[in-house]
């Protein structure tokens, strides 16, 4: 199928259609889409975008029809498949949305927006192996962003691979400034890492790690709760009791401490 390209003027109008959708100026977006379709009635991506805008206007039947027309006109367009997926998602047809996103990535494998949309649906639907792989692809493309390291680690955690999760976190931690004062994100990441050590079954290692990070961790109550929980698992009941008494001094209404 020959790639569909609009003349330069209509390319500018198509960008306006995209912008109108992003800014929720749906009626203006429709007018601009119709302006293109008057001259290029079979332009797949314009048909698809018109369908997406109609979907936002609750004109569901027309939306699906235009999205399907767009795919028929340009089957190899990642835009057309992405739009089809977005419409499926809005109708809660999540499996169909995942299939559509996967097809979109077949034609544009490094599209970050589509990869992120796919990963959100995968974690929502419990497709953890797929989520893990999608987040790996995102990390390869954008390794300078913390969230991508954390999400890939979480993907491995959800798949039950605690050691790989720890390896990913540790690889990212090596890129941080060792002298940096922890902010909330740093604190939560190190506490999450500690939880992974605990879940892996290395209770003594988790307790030792907790002692190491306690001074820098911002959520002291969580640190104490974690220590008491691990101590109970290790049979250190007297030590755990002392920690719970400390927690009761802070919040004596929490029944979990009694």
């Amino acid at each position: 199928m020959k790639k569909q390209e609009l003349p330069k003027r209509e390319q500018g109008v198509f960008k306006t259609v995209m912008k109108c959708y992003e800014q929720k100026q749906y009626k203006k977006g429709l007018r601009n889409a119709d302006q293109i379709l008057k001259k290029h009635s079979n332009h797949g991506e314009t048909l698809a975008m018109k369908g997406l805008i109609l979907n936002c206007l609750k004109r569901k039947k027309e939306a699906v029809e235009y999205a399907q027309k767009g795919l028929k006109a340009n089957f190899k367009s990642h835009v057309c498949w992405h739009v089809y997926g977005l419409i499926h998602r809005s109708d809660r047809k999540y499996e169909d949305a995942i299939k559509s996103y996967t097809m979109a990535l077949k034609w544009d494998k490094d599209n970050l927006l589509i990869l992120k949309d796919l990963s959100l649906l995968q974690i929502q639907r419990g497709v953890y192996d797929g989520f893990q792989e999608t987040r790996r692809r995102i990390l390869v493309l954008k390794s300078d962003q913390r969230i991508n390291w954390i999400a890939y680690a979480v993907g491995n955690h959800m798949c039950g691979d605690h050691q790989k999760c720890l390896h990913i976190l540790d690889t990212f931690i090596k890129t941080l400034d060792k002298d940096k004062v922890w902010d909330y994100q740093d604190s939560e990441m190190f506490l999450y890492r500690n939880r992974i050590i605990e879940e892996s079954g290395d209770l003594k290692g988790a307790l030792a790690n907790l002692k190491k990070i306690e001074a820098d961790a911002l959520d002291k109550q969580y640190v104490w709760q974690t220590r008491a929980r691990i101590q109970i698992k290790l049979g250190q009941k007297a030590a755990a009791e002392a920690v719970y008494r400390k927690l009761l001094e802070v919040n004596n209404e929490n029944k979990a401490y009694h």
Side-chain angles (χ1 to χ4, degrees):
M1 183 181 291
K2 187 177 179 181
K3 185 176 180 181
Q4 292 187 318
E5 286 192 11
L6 291 169
K8 191 172 182 179
R9 183 179 181 280
E10 277 72 27
Q11 286 179 22
V13 179
F14 184 77
K15 288 179 181 178
T16 301
V17 173
M18 300 285 280
K19 189 175 181 180
C20 287
Y21 166 71
E22 291 167 0
Q23 296 180 347
K24 299 183 179 180
Q25 297 177 341
Y26 301 132
K27 290 183 179 179
K28 182 179 177 182
L30 275 183
R31 288 197 299 271
N32 281 276
D34 286 336
Q35 183 180 328
I36 296 172
L37 293 172
K38 282 180 182 178
K39 293 183 179 179
H40 309 277
S41 61
N42 203 40
H43 186 252
E45 293 182 355
T46 302
L47 289 165
M49 284 304 302
K50 181 173 180 177
L52 185 58
I53 292 171
L54 287 168
N55 190 63
C56 294
L57 292 170
K58 309 300 181 185
R59 292 161 64 178
K60 295 284 186 178
K61 185 178 179 181
E62 292 174 272
V64 173
E65 289 175 355
Y66 273 96
Q68 290 174 342
K69 285 179 183 178
L71 277 172
K72 187 176 180 180
N74 194 348
F75 187 80
K76 294 184 178 181
S77 164
H78 71 277
V79 172
C80 292
W81 279 108
H82 190 197
V83 164
Y84 204 36
L86 291 171
I87 292 174
H88 281 314
R89 187 184 70 181
S90 73
D91 290 335
R92 299 184 181 182
K93 296 178 180 177
Y94 300 121
E95 303 308 317
D96 289 331
I98 287 174
K99 290 176 184 177
S100 296
Y101 292 158
T102 302
M103 282 298 294
L105 290 167
K106 182 178 179 179
W107 310 117
D108 189 5
K109 65 184 179 67
D110 293 338
N111 188 299
L112 279 169
L113 179 59
I114 302 172
L115 284 166
K116 288 176 181 177
D117 282 348
L118 175 60
S119 73
L120 286 172
L121 270 188
Q122 287 171 325
I123 191 106
Q124 179 183 334
R125 304 302 294 168
V127 186
Y128 298 133
D129 55 344
F131 174 78
Q132 181 263 358
E133 172 58 19
T134 302
R135 294 310 311 195
R136 184 196 67 79
R137 290 168 65 181
I138 292 172
L139 178 60
V140 169
L141 294 169
K142 279 284 184 181
S143 61
D144 59 335
Q145 295 182 2
R146 175 198 295 260
I147 184 60
N148 294 336
W149 287 92
I150 302 300
Y152 183 40
V154 169
N156 283 276
H157 180 197
M158 300 305 290
C159 289
D161 195 338
H162 296 94
Q163 294 309 314
K164 190 168 183 181
C165 177
L166 288 171
H167 174 71
I168 294 161
L169 292 172
D170 289 342
T171 301
F172 174 69
I173 288 167
K174 288 177 184 177
T175 68
L176 301 176
D177 182 356
K178 293 180 180 179
D179 298 322
K180 178 178 178 285
V181 177
W182 287 8
D183 58 19
Y184 179 78
Q185 284 188 325
D186 295 323
S187 177
E188 289 298 296
M189 179 180 66
F190 278 98
L191 289 172
Y192 174 63
R193 181 181 180 278
N194 182 265
R195 184 63 184 252
I196 300 303
I197 297 172
E198 179 187 348
E199 288 186 12
S200 74
D202 184 8
L203 299 177
K204 290 183 178 179
L207 199 58
N209 176 258
L210 198 63
K211 184 177 180 180
K212 181 180 177 182
I213 67 175
E214 180 175 8
D216 293 310
L218 301 181
D219 191 343
K220 301 301 183 187
Q221 285 191 53
Y222 180 83
V223 171
W224 300 340
Q225 290 168 8
T226 302
R227 174 178 288 114
R229 182 178 65 245
I230 295 172
Q231 287 171 332
I232 287 175
K233 289 180 180 179
L234 288 170
Q236 301 173 5
K237 293 183 179 180
E241 182 181 343
V243 176
Y244 278 124
R245 289 186 183 279
K246 189 175 182 180
L247 284 164
L248 282 168
E249 291 176 4
V250 177
N251 182 5
N252 62 12
E253 294 182 1
N254 192 322
K255 293 180 180 180
Y257 301 159
H258 290 269

